[in-house]
Structure formats: structure tokens, C-alpha cells
Amino acid sequence: MLAAGRFVLTRLAAVVGVALFVSFVTFFLLRVSRDPVDVVGAARSLDVSSPSVRSELAAELGTDRPLIVQYGDWLSNAVRGELGTSYLDSTDDVAEGIGRALPVNLELVILAQLIALAASIPLGLWAGAREGRWPDKVVTFVATAFVSYPGFALALVLIMVFAVQLDLFPATAAAYVSFFDNPLDNLRQCFLPALSLAVPMIGVYTRVLRSDVAATLREDFIVTARSKGLRSAAILTRHAFRPSSLSLIPMVGLQFGALLGGSILIERLFAFPSGLGTSLTAAAVTADVPVLLGVSTTIAVGFAVVTLIADLVARLADPRIAHG
Amino acid sequence: MADKGSHRLRVAEWVAIIWLAIIGFAAVFGPLLPLQDPTAQGECTTKQPKRELDASGSPVVVDGKYRLIAQPGCDFQKAADDRSAAKPSSAHLLGNDQIGRDLLSRVVAGARTSIFVSVGSVLAALVIGGGIGMVSAYVGGKVDAAVTLFSAAMVALPGLVLAISFVAALGRTMFAVWAALTVGAIPMVALVSRIQSLSLIQREYVVAAKALGATHSRVLLREVLPNLLPFAFVFVGLGFAGAVAAEGGLALIGLSVDQPATSWGAIIGDGKALLETAPHISLIPSVVMFLTIWAATRLTDHLTDRLGVRGSAL
């Protein structure tokens, strides 16, 4: 128990480290390369060539103080959940904006994980149980192809086939409705985006599960189960699946990162009206530091926490890790 | 995954090698190939050195740089319309994009960005990350613990987030994209290099070299480093595949290199709006990108078996 507490504490330190690193790098990169006075001045169509306007604006934004003090300020506010307001629109609260955008990305990530697991668990079991024979070869080949195909490129093919040709799903999610308002429409809008995110994951998970299942099936306790006369299907699902899922669980946790990153692209591609990607890309183009800083740091912290949870689950599933 | 024990290259691996050779050739020698100008929008524009009239009224070449010059008297709009989003033909083997630019030359021009940025970032990440991991394992103690903890946490971070900040700060240049992809890849390389170095450092020959009084740098460079090379090869393959996709993603949302340069992701993004009427614009670069990533993954799988590098290490 003590070991587990220590484990959580060191990992929490890592979460803090990552949050500091990401915000620090983002802050200094952006602030050294561009003067916020120019960005805000242009947004308010002020004459930024006049020194008095510049100094007034710098005083208002607080950019006349040393950079490290400004970073410290941002940090102490961020710890309290205050991420400031957008440079372009001072009524636009960054934290509120994230609160509006995040559900879209979370929904896509969760749907994608569900689709990926629903497809890869049967495929991985099937291929692993027939190691070296044709089902294994076919599944492995397809899985490798899936891993190689970037989700955003796949999304275009899916749009072309299922939206343009067959007209089964909408081609964009511009008319996005929340799941809680209209679950059916929401799922129709989110299916193609989630599927494009899920396909590479199907490849990753299937490959991992397949090789673990194949290895498990060579172990003594499986031979015992077989000699007791258990059917292959029962052996697979009751005896082989759990010990074979030990690499899969941390993998699923790790892929939250890749998926959230991917959802930023996919969400832009399907023209969701709001989302972290929409905020990030717009802020990147206009050098809107508070938005970029807030969104990047939120994502970084979110990930580090999800990975930590995934590790904890993996320890619960496999006591050998905790005691090893 | 090749069959265990069989190290011969099979058809798929040969296809992968030939494809990567073609793409590499296009990336390096693209500008020298007899292709149309990737930025020319119709028959009305030709690429010529800019000329100005001198005092006597005869044209002289200004600076020898080639620029797109519109032909006087040509119906510019009509020429562009004729070729806009045209399907593949004998004059334009892969067709034209939405404003009449030759897709074959654009895909070749895109290869330059995509491949240069990817290869460059993989190599830089290999040197920096590999070095950090190796030294961290060698030094050990608290430094090693901190490096490991930090890298492990950074690995989970989506590279796209940092990449967007880099591009926002440094502008839409090849350098910004390269820097972003490099920083994103370093933690993973550092972790793998550290784990491998850790087991190497305990081997007899390393212990022996230390006992004989070899300097730290000699032990690392002469004893540890050469044995890390198999993992380096595997990382180059996987890292390259990941970088091509990452650059494509950035380009797709308009955050990779700016005009007139282009990349595969940018061309895919260009054609996005025309999926219904001219799907070839998006489809061709995405197939090219897919084949490149597939080829790199396939060869890495083969190499992994061949070098006896355990897949789970990466």
C-alpha cells in the first residue's frame, strides 16, 4: 500500500513537471517571438506605431514587466483555474472557452476507444488463436495497414464513401448537437469522425492483443485447460483473455494522448463548430497567447492524469507490476 | 511481421524499398525533374527570369531568379478554368488541382517538404534523445530518475499541441515544423535509449572497460553507443512514419509550410472542399502518404525481426 502511495506521488510530480514544461515553453516561445502589443493593437485597430499607444497597451496587458514575472503571474492564476481572457476579445474567458470545447473532443475520443476495442478484441483473439495460419496473416496484414493510415486521410475516404456516395452520414458536423439534446443526431454526426480516429487504434490494439494471446496460449495452464476437454472458445474467453490483456490496458491508456491529438485534426476536418482544435488553430494563426497557453496546458495536464489512471488500472489488473 | 527465421526480403518488402527510393528521389531531385511548375495555374503562366527594360529599351534579366510571368494577351481566367480540378490526362498525369496547378508536380514538390522535415526531425531526435537516454542511464541516481519520470510523462502528450505553439511562434516555415516534430519525438527516443543503455552498461565488456580506466566518454562512445545502433535503425523507421503523418496533420489544418511551398497534407487540405466533384485532388496525395508510411512500417517490422530487437521495447 505504501508502495502504491509513493508511486502515485512521484507520478503526480511528473504531471506537475509536464504542465510546467509545456506552459513554460509555450509562453516563452510565443512571447519572445511576438510582441502582444502588436497582436492586441491590430485586433483593436489601434495605431501601434505611436509610442504612447504602445506603452499604454503594454501597461494594460502587463507586458511591461519582466517576462518571468508575467509567467509567474499566469501560473499563480492558472493554479486557481483562471486562465485569463483572449487577446482578441477581452470578454472571451479562456477557461470558459475550454469548458465549451472540451466535451466535443472527449466524446470523439471515448466513441473512438469504444469502436476500436469492440473491433480489435475479437480480431486479436481470433488471430492470436490461429497464429501463423491464414486468419492470423490476414488480420495482421490489415492491422498493419490500419496502423499506417493516418486518421485524417482515412476521414476523407470515409466522407467520400459514406457521406457523398451512400449518403448515410452527414459529411460535416457543422450542425453539431449535444448528445444530451438529441442522442441520435449526435451519434450520426460523430460516427464518421470517431471511426476515422478508431481505425488506426484498431490496428494498434489488434497487433498487441494478437501477440499476447498467441504467447498465452502456449502456457501450461492453457494446456491443462485443453486436456480437461474445454472447448477452444471457452479457453480463449475465460482463460486466455485476461492474462493476454495486460499489455492492452496500458496501451489503451497511452492512446488517449494520440486520440485527443487526433481529435483536434478530425474535429477541424469535419467542421465541428467548437472544439479544442478550432480554438488552438485560430489562436495559433493570430498568436493569441492566453488561448494557446490555456488550451495547451489543459491538454497536457489532462493527458498526464489519464496516463496515471491507466497505469494504476494496469497495476490493479496485474499484481505482478505492483510487487515486481 | 515476417516469419520468424526467414530473413529474406519478400515481395512486400521489395515494393516498400522501391517506393521509398522513388519518394526519396523525388524529394531530393524534384526541382531538377522535367515537370511543370507546381505553382503555374494555367497555360498562360510560364516560368521565366524577370526582365526589365534598360535605358535603350531592350529587356535585361534582372537577377536571374525565375518567376511566374503571365503571358500578355492570354485569357488568364479561361486558361485556369479549363484546367481547374481536371481529371488525370496525358498532359497532366495526375490531373490538376482546384486552381489548375499540375498535381504530379505538386505531389513531387510536397515530397520535398514532407520527407525533408520528417527525416531531419527523426535524425535530430535520435541524436539528442538518444544522447539524453544514454547519459541518463550511465549517470544513474536522481538525474536518471528525473529524466525518466519527465520523459515518460511527455510521451503521452500529443505532439500536435507543442507543434501548434512552435508554428504560432516561429511562423509557417520548414524550420518551425522541423523543430516541433523534433521536440515531440525526443522523449520517446530518450526512454528507449535509456532502457537499452541500462542493460548494456551492466555487461562484462563495459565493466571491463571501466576497470581498465577508460574515460566516461570512451565507455559511452566506444562500448555503449555501437550496441544501441540496432534500436536506432528501428526508431528511424517508426519515427519517420510518425513524422510524415504528423506533418500531414499540421498541414491539413493549415499550420505547416506556407505558400508557395506545399506538402502532402496541404494538398489533401486543398482538395477537401471538392471531395464530391474532384476527389482525386485529396485522394492522390493521401494514397502517396499512406504508401510511404506503410513502406516505412513494413521495413521496420522486417528489420525488427532481423536484428532481433524485441518489438515491445519500442
Side-chain angles (χ1 to χ4, degrees):
Chain A
M1 207 57 235
L2 207 68
R6 208 184 135 83
F7 168 79
V8 173
L9 275 183
T10 45
R11 291 298 303 271
L12 280 177
V15 173
V16 174
V18 167
L20 284 175
F21 177 78
V22 169
S23 60
F24 190 84
V25 167
T26 309
F27 183 84
F28 282 92
L29 260 181
L30 287 164
R31 290 302 310 280
V32 168
S33 61
R34 300 214 200 168
D35 189 346
V37 168
D38 292 321
V39 177
V40 179
R44 297 190 197 160
S45 44
L46 295 173
D47 175 24
V48 286
S49 58
S50 124
S52 66
V53 172
R54 288 195 81 90
S55 59
E56 215 172 278
L57 208 51
E60 183 197 323
L61 295 171
T63 55
D64 48 355
R65 298 166 302 154
L67 271 184
I68 191 79
V69 174
Q70 296 176 43
Y71 177 71
D73 245 20
W74 178 84
L75 202 61
S76 67
N77 283 329
V79 171
R80 292 192 299 263
E82 287 163 26
L83 298 174
T85 57
S86 159
Y87 272 171
L88 305 185
D89 175 4
S90 55
T91 59
D92 186 4
D93 186 84
V94 176
E96 271 175 33
I98 293 173
R100 275 193 308 275
L102 198 58
V104 173
N105 299 81
L106 284 183
E107 180 181 1
L108 289 181
V109 170
I110 291 168
L111 277 179
Q113 290 279 33
L114 290 178
I115 296 173
L117 286 173
S120 59
I121 290 175
L123 282 176
L125 284 173
W126 190 46
R130 292 186 178 38
E131 191 191 10
R133 284 186 283 164
W134 71 265
D136 180 31
K137 287 188 173 143
V138 171
V139 169
T140 306
F141 183 83
V142 173
T144 309
F146 277 8
V147 174
S148 311
Y149 210 94
F152 55 84
L154 179 76
L156 295 169
V157 178
L158 292 177
I159 294 176
M160 238 158 0
V161 176
F162 293 103
V164 175
Q165 303 291 334
L166 302 175
D167 202 18
L168 289 174
F169 297 97
T172 75
Y176 177 76
V177 289
S178 156
F179 181 80
F180 302 104
D181 293 341
N182 188 339
L184 217 64
D185 272 7
N186 171 279
L187 288 179
R188 256 172 58 87
Q189 287 164 341
C190 290
F191 181 71
L192 288 185
L195 186 61
S196 359
L197 281 173
V199 165
M201 297 304 134
I202 295 177
V204 174
Y205 298 164
T206 305
R207 279 164 53 124
V208 168
L209 188 60
R210 173 217 161 264
S211 56
D212 278 2
V213 167
T216 308
L217 288 181
R218 285 193 289 267
E219 296 217 16
D220 290 344
F221 70 94
I222 299 292
V223 178
T224 310
R226 263 194 228 290
S227 58
K228 280 198 316 193
L230 275 182
R231 285 185 307 117
S232 300
I235 291 176
L236 259 188
T237 51
R238 271 192 235 142
H239 297 267
F241 181 55
R242 194 182 149 185
S244 304
S245 63
L246 295 180
S247 313
L248 185 65
I249 295 170
M251 184 60 90
V252 171
L254 259 183
Q255 296 302 330
F256 267 103
L259 280 173
L260 206 78
S263 80
I264 288 172
L265 287 179
I266 294 292
E267 157 222 322
R268 297 287 299 139
L269 207 57
F270 281 86
F272 278 86
S274 69
L276 294 178
T278 311
S279 318
L280 268 181
T281 42
V285 173
T286 54
D288 195 336
V289 181
V291 177
L292 270 175
L293 204 54
V295 176
S296 308
T297 314
T298 308
I299 294 179
V301 173
F303 270 148
V305 171
V306 168
T307 330
L308 173 61
I309 295 172
D311 277 356
L312 282 174
V313 173
R315 286 168 73 98
L316 288 178
D318 185 4
R320 280 174 305 181
I321 302 176
H323 298 294
Chain B
M1 295 207 177
D3 291 336
K4 301 270 150 46
S6 150
H7 287 165
R8 280 178 44 236
L9 293 175
R10 288 180 302 173
V11 181
E13 274 100 37
W14 279 113
V15 171
I17 290 174
I18 292 168
W19 175 258
L20 288 181
I22 294 173
I23 293 296
F25 182 81
V28 176
F29 297 107
L32 302 176
L33 297 178
L35 292 167
Q36 283 150 47
D37 187 291
T39 52
Q41 295 180 10
E43 314 302 342
C44 282
T45 46
T46 54
K47 212 174 185 189
Q48 299 171 347
K50 190 180 176 191
R51 288 163 217 272
E52 266 170 16
L53 300 183
D54 65 5
S56 65
S58 53
V60 280
V61 174
V62 180
D63 53 9
K65 273 193 200 152
Y66 281 73
R67 299 180 172 82
L68 281 176
I69 308 283
Q71 302 283 56
C74 182
D75 187 346
F76 192 89
Q77 193 58 49
K78 183 179 175 299
D81 286 349
D82 285 348
R83 278 171 54 182
S84 170
K87 295 264 156 32
S89 64
S90 58
H92 303 281
L93 291 177
L94 299 180
N96 300 97
D97 76 357
Q98 73 287 358
I99 51 171
R101 295 173 297 194
D102 180 56
L103 263 182
L104 177 61
S105 27
R106 286 193 75 69
V107 169
V108 169
R112 205 173 171 77
T113 311
S114 304
I115 301 303
F116 278 20
V117 161
S118 304
V119 171
S121 70
V122 163
L123 294 181
L126 189 61
V127 173
I128 303 172
I132 292 177
M134 193 171 76
V135 172
S136 169
Y138 188 75
V139 174
K142 288 204 166 112
V143 176
D144 186 40
V147 168
T148 312
L149 203 60
F150 184 69
S151 308
M154 283 297 292
V155 163
L157 187 75
L160 197 66
V161 174
L162 266 185
I164 288 176
S165 298
F166 268 82
V167 174
L170 305 175
R172 294 173 56 191
T173 60
M174 237 181 175
F175 174 77
V177 179
W178 168 82
L181 296 184
T182 304
V183 172
I186 287 175
M188 183 52 120
V189 192
L191 281 183
V192 173
S193 141
R194 177 190 165 270
I195 297 225
Q196 299 308 328
S197 308
L198 221 47
S199 73
L200 289 174
I201 284 167
Q202 287 158 4
R203 299 273 171 88
E204 287 87 350
Y205 58 86
V206 178
V207 178
K210 276 195 199 165
L212 288 172
T215 58
H216 294 316
S217 61
R218 194 193 150 86
V219 170
L220 283 177
L221 296 178
R222 299 290 290 276
E223 311 292 345
V224 179
L225 187 62
N227 292 295
L228 284 175
L229 289 182
F231 298 94
F233 285 126
V234 172
F235 167 73
V236 167
L238 290 182
F240 170 76
V244 168
E247 191 282 331
L250 265 184
L252 195 64
I253 52 175
L255 292 178
S256 184
V257 290
D258 203 357
Q259 302 277 4
T262 191
S263 74
W264 294 336
I267 309 171
I268 298 176
D270 284 346
K272 208 174 63 186
L274 293 177
L275 278 182
E276 209 159 330
T277 50
H280 68 283
I281 302 172
S282 284
L283 215 51
I284 289 167
S286 58
V287 168
V288 169
M289 189 188 272
F290 165 67
L291 281 175
T292 307
I293 296 172
W294 170 82
T297 316
R298 179 87 209 186
L299 287 179
T300 312
D301 275 352
H302 181 80
L303 208 62
T304 310
D305 284 350
R306 178 110 191 220
L307 296 173
V309 182
R310 272 190 29 250
S312 57
L314 279 164

